[in-house]
Short mmCIF file of all heavy atoms in Angstrom, two decimals:
data_model
loop_
_atom_site.label_atom_id
_atom_site.label_comp_id
_atom_site.label_asym_id
_atom_site.label_seq_id
_atom_site.Cartn_x
_atom_site.Cartn_y
_atom_site.Cartn_z
N GLY A 175 -22.11 23.23 -10.08
CA GLY A 175 -22.07 22.39 -8.85
C GLY A 175 -21.20 23.05 -7.91
O GLY A 175 -20.00 23.37 -8.21
N ILE A 176 -21.55 23.13 -6.58
CA ILE A 176 -20.60 23.65 -5.58
C ILE A 176 -20.63 22.68 -4.44
O ILE A 176 -21.72 22.33 -3.87
CB ILE A 176 -21.16 25.05 -5.08
CG1 ILE A 176 -21.15 26.06 -6.23
CG2 ILE A 176 -20.27 25.50 -3.89
CD1 ILE A 176 -21.64 27.39 -5.86
N GLY A 177 -19.39 22.13 -4.14
CA GLY A 177 -19.33 21.03 -3.22
C GLY A 177 -18.78 21.47 -1.79
O GLY A 177 -18.46 22.65 -1.57
N ALA A 178 -18.80 20.52 -0.86
CA ALA A 178 -18.33 20.73 0.48
C ALA A 178 -17.14 19.85 0.78
O ALA A 178 -16.81 19.02 -0.05
CB ALA A 178 -19.53 20.43 1.39
N TRP A 179 -16.47 20.15 1.89
CA TRP A 179 -15.27 19.41 2.16
C TRP A 179 -15.43 17.98 2.84
O TRP A 179 -14.49 17.24 2.92
CB TRP A 179 -14.37 20.22 3.14
CG TRP A 179 -15.04 20.76 4.39
CD1 TRP A 179 -15.45 21.95 4.60
CD2 TRP A 179 -15.21 20.01 5.59
NE1 TRP A 179 -16.01 22.05 5.93
CE2 TRP A 179 -15.89 20.85 6.51
CE3 TRP A 179 -15.09 18.67 6.02
CZ2 TRP A 179 -16.22 20.49 7.80
CZ3 TRP A 179 -15.37 18.26 7.31
CH2 TRP A 179 -15.99 19.17 8.17
N ASN A 180 -16.65 17.70 3.20
CA ASN A 180 -16.84 16.39 3.95
C ASN A 180 -16.74 15.22 2.99
O ASN A 180 -16.31 14.00 3.49
CB ASN A 180 -17.98 16.29 4.85
CG ASN A 180 -19.35 16.82 4.04
OD1 ASN A 180 -19.22 17.31 2.93
ND2 ASN A 180 -20.46 16.58 4.65
N TYR A 181 -17.23 15.31 1.83
CA TYR A 181 -17.20 14.21 0.88
C TYR A 181 -16.82 14.71 -0.55
O TYR A 181 -17.62 14.80 -1.46
CB TYR A 181 -18.56 13.53 0.73
CG TYR A 181 -19.16 12.95 2.03
CD1 TYR A 181 -19.91 13.63 2.91
CD2 TYR A 181 -18.80 11.63 2.29
CE1 TYR A 181 -20.36 13.06 4.08
CE2 TYR A 181 -19.28 10.99 3.53
CZ TYR A 181 -19.99 11.74 4.36
OH TYR A 181 -20.44 11.19 5.54
N PRO A 182 -15.56 15.18 -0.74
CA PRO A 182 -15.19 15.91 -1.97
C PRO A 182 -15.36 15.13 -3.23
O PRO A 182 -16.00 15.75 -4.15
CB PRO A 182 -13.70 16.30 -1.69
CG PRO A 182 -13.53 16.11 -0.22
CD PRO A 182 -14.45 15.11 0.33
N PHE A 183 -14.91 14.01 -3.34
CA PHE A 183 -15.02 13.19 -4.58
C PHE A 183 -16.47 12.80 -4.79
O PHE A 183 -17.01 12.86 -5.78
CB PHE A 183 -14.10 11.97 -4.65
CG PHE A 183 -14.06 11.30 -5.87
CD1 PHE A 183 -13.20 11.68 -6.91
CD2 PHE A 183 -14.80 10.14 -6.09
CE1 PHE A 183 -13.22 11.08 -8.10
CE2 PHE A 183 -14.86 9.56 -7.31
CZ PHE A 183 -13.99 9.94 -8.28
N GLN A 184 -17.07 12.23 -3.74
CA GLN A 184 -18.49 11.73 -3.83
C GLN A 184 -19.39 12.82 -4.18
O GLN A 184 -20.28 12.63 -5.10
CB GLN A 184 -18.85 11.20 -2.49
CG GLN A 184 -20.32 10.66 -2.45
CD GLN A 184 -20.68 10.15 -1.09
OE1 GLN A 184 -20.15 9.15 -0.60
NE2 GLN A 184 -21.63 10.81 -0.38
N ILE A 185 -19.32 14.06 -3.62
CA ILE A 185 -20.22 15.11 -3.96
C ILE A 185 -20.04 15.46 -5.45
O ILE A 185 -21.01 15.87 -6.16
CB ILE A 185 -20.00 16.26 -3.05
CG1 ILE A 185 -20.54 15.94 -1.62
CG2 ILE A 185 -20.75 17.56 -3.55
CD1 ILE A 185 -20.34 17.02 -0.62
N ALA A 186 -18.76 15.55 -5.84
CA ALA A 186 -18.56 15.92 -7.29
C ALA A 186 -19.20 14.89 -8.27
O ALA A 186 -19.79 15.29 -9.27
CB ALA A 186 -17.08 15.95 -7.55
N ALA A 187 -19.19 13.69 -7.89
CA ALA A 187 -19.85 12.58 -8.67
C ALA A 187 -21.40 12.71 -8.57
O ALA A 187 -22.06 12.64 -9.54
CB ALA A 187 -19.29 11.23 -8.31
N TRP A 188 -21.84 12.88 -7.35
CA TRP A 188 -23.30 12.93 -7.10
C TRP A 188 -23.93 14.03 -7.94
O TRP A 188 -25.04 13.98 -8.34
CB TRP A 188 -23.56 13.17 -5.69
CG TRP A 188 -23.61 11.85 -4.75
CD1 TRP A 188 -23.05 10.69 -5.18
CD2 TRP A 188 -24.16 11.70 -3.51
NE1 TRP A 188 -23.29 9.78 -4.12
CE2 TRP A 188 -23.97 10.40 -3.14
CE3 TRP A 188 -24.91 12.54 -2.68
CZ2 TRP A 188 -24.39 9.87 -1.91
CZ3 TRP A 188 -25.35 12.06 -1.51
CH2 TRP A 188 -25.09 10.74 -1.09
N LYS A 189 -23.27 15.18 -8.08
CA LYS A 189 -23.81 16.39 -8.78
C LYS A 189 -23.55 16.22 -10.26
O LYS A 189 -24.51 16.59 -11.07
CB LYS A 189 -23.24 17.66 -8.19
CG LYS A 189 -23.50 17.98 -6.78
CD LYS A 189 -23.23 19.39 -6.38
CE LYS A 189 -23.52 19.64 -4.87
NZ LYS A 189 -24.93 19.44 -4.60
N SER A 190 -22.49 15.71 -10.70
CA SER A 190 -22.22 15.65 -12.16
C SER A 190 -22.94 14.49 -12.84
O SER A 190 -23.39 14.72 -13.95
CB SER A 190 -20.73 15.50 -12.31
OG SER A 190 -20.18 14.28 -11.83
N ALA A 191 -23.10 13.33 -12.21
CA ALA A 191 -23.70 12.22 -12.87
C ALA A 191 -25.12 12.52 -13.37
O ALA A 191 -25.38 12.24 -14.61
CB ALA A 191 -23.70 11.04 -11.89
N PRO A 192 -26.14 12.96 -12.51
CA PRO A 192 -27.42 13.15 -13.12
C PRO A 192 -27.38 14.31 -14.14
O PRO A 192 -28.19 14.31 -15.06
CB PRO A 192 -28.15 13.55 -11.88
CG PRO A 192 -27.29 14.00 -10.81
CD PRO A 192 -26.02 13.17 -11.16
N ALA A 193 -26.53 15.31 -13.89
CA ALA A 193 -26.46 16.44 -14.84
C ALA A 193 -26.04 15.92 -16.22
O ALA A 193 -26.66 16.28 -17.30
CB ALA A 193 -25.56 17.54 -14.33
N LEU A 194 -24.95 15.18 -16.26
CA LEU A 194 -24.42 14.73 -17.54
C LEU A 194 -25.39 13.71 -18.13
O LEU A 194 -25.56 13.71 -19.43
CB LEU A 194 -23.11 14.03 -17.34
CG LEU A 194 -21.96 14.94 -16.76
CD1 LEU A 194 -20.61 14.25 -16.84
CD2 LEU A 194 -21.93 16.31 -17.44
N ALA A 195 -26.02 12.83 -17.33
CA ALA A 195 -27.03 11.92 -17.99
C ALA A 195 -28.16 12.56 -18.68
O ALA A 195 -28.59 12.03 -19.72
CB ALA A 195 -27.49 11.01 -16.85
N CYS A 196 -28.54 13.69 -18.20
CA CYS A 196 -29.65 14.46 -18.80
C CYS A 196 -29.22 15.29 -19.96
O CYS A 196 -30.07 15.89 -20.65
CB CYS A 196 -30.32 15.32 -17.79
SG CYS A 196 -31.25 14.37 -16.51
N GLY A 197 -27.94 15.27 -20.26
CA GLY A 197 -27.47 16.06 -21.40
C GLY A 197 -26.91 17.44 -21.11
O GLY A 197 -26.59 18.17 -21.98
N ASN A 198 -26.74 17.78 -19.80
CA ASN A 198 -26.15 19.03 -19.43
C ASN A 198 -24.62 19.00 -19.43
O ASN A 198 -23.99 17.88 -19.33
CB ASN A 198 -26.64 19.46 -18.05
CG ASN A 198 -28.13 19.47 -18.00
OD1 ASN A 198 -28.85 20.33 -18.54
ND2 ASN A 198 -28.81 18.52 -17.25
N SER A 199 -23.97 20.08 -19.32
CA SER A 199 -22.57 20.22 -18.93
C SER A 199 -22.50 20.85 -17.52
O SER A 199 -23.52 21.26 -17.00
CB SER A 199 -21.83 21.06 -19.95
OG SER A 199 -22.39 22.39 -20.13
N MET A 200 -21.26 20.81 -16.91
CA MET A 200 -21.12 21.38 -15.54
C MET A 200 -19.83 22.06 -15.34
O MET A 200 -18.78 21.71 -15.85
CB MET A 200 -21.26 20.21 -14.56
CG MET A 200 -21.09 20.61 -13.14
SD MET A 200 -21.67 19.32 -11.92
CE MET A 200 -23.35 19.81 -11.83
N VAL A 201 -19.92 23.13 -14.51
CA VAL A 201 -18.72 23.80 -13.96
C VAL A 201 -18.88 23.54 -12.43
O VAL A 201 -19.89 23.89 -11.74
CB VAL A 201 -18.76 25.33 -14.28
CG1 VAL A 201 -17.47 25.94 -13.62
CG2 VAL A 201 -18.75 25.51 -15.78
N PHE A 202 -17.87 22.94 -11.90
CA PHE A 202 -17.88 22.53 -10.52
C PHE A 202 -16.84 23.32 -9.67
O PHE A 202 -15.66 23.49 -10.12
CB PHE A 202 -17.58 21.06 -10.37
CG PHE A 202 -17.74 20.48 -9.06
CD1 PHE A 202 -19.02 20.19 -8.48
CD2 PHE A 202 -16.62 20.30 -8.27
CE1 PHE A 202 -19.17 19.61 -7.20
CE2 PHE A 202 -16.76 19.75 -6.97
CZ PHE A 202 -18.06 19.44 -6.38
N LYS A 203 -17.29 23.78 -8.48
CA LYS A 203 -16.34 24.42 -7.55
C LYS A 203 -16.22 23.60 -6.32
O LYS A 203 -17.17 23.48 -5.53
CB LYS A 203 -16.73 25.80 -7.24
CG LYS A 203 -15.69 26.62 -6.41
CD LYS A 203 -16.22 27.82 -5.82
CE LYS A 203 -16.89 27.61 -4.51
NZ LYS A 203 -15.98 27.08 -3.42
N PRO A 204 -15.09 22.92 -6.01
CA PRO A 204 -14.91 22.21 -4.76
C PRO A 204 -14.82 23.24 -3.64
O PRO A 204 -14.55 24.44 -3.84
CB PRO A 204 -13.70 21.37 -4.99
CG PRO A 204 -13.26 21.69 -6.38
CD PRO A 204 -13.91 22.91 -6.83
N SER A 205 -14.79 22.60 -2.41
CA SER A 205 -14.40 23.48 -1.22
C SER A 205 -12.92 23.81 -1.39
O SER A 205 -12.16 23.03 -1.80
CB SER A 205 -14.60 22.69 0.08
OG SER A 205 -13.94 23.27 1.13
#
Side-chain angles (χ1 to χ4, degrees):
I176 298 179
W179 52 257
N180 51 346
Y181 299 93
F183 187 84
Q184 177 181 295
I185 289 176
W188 276 20
K189 293 190 184 302
S190 62
L194 301 190
C196 290
N198 305 290
S199 58
M200 177 167 275
V201 179
F202 185 82
K203 188 193 84 66
S205 164

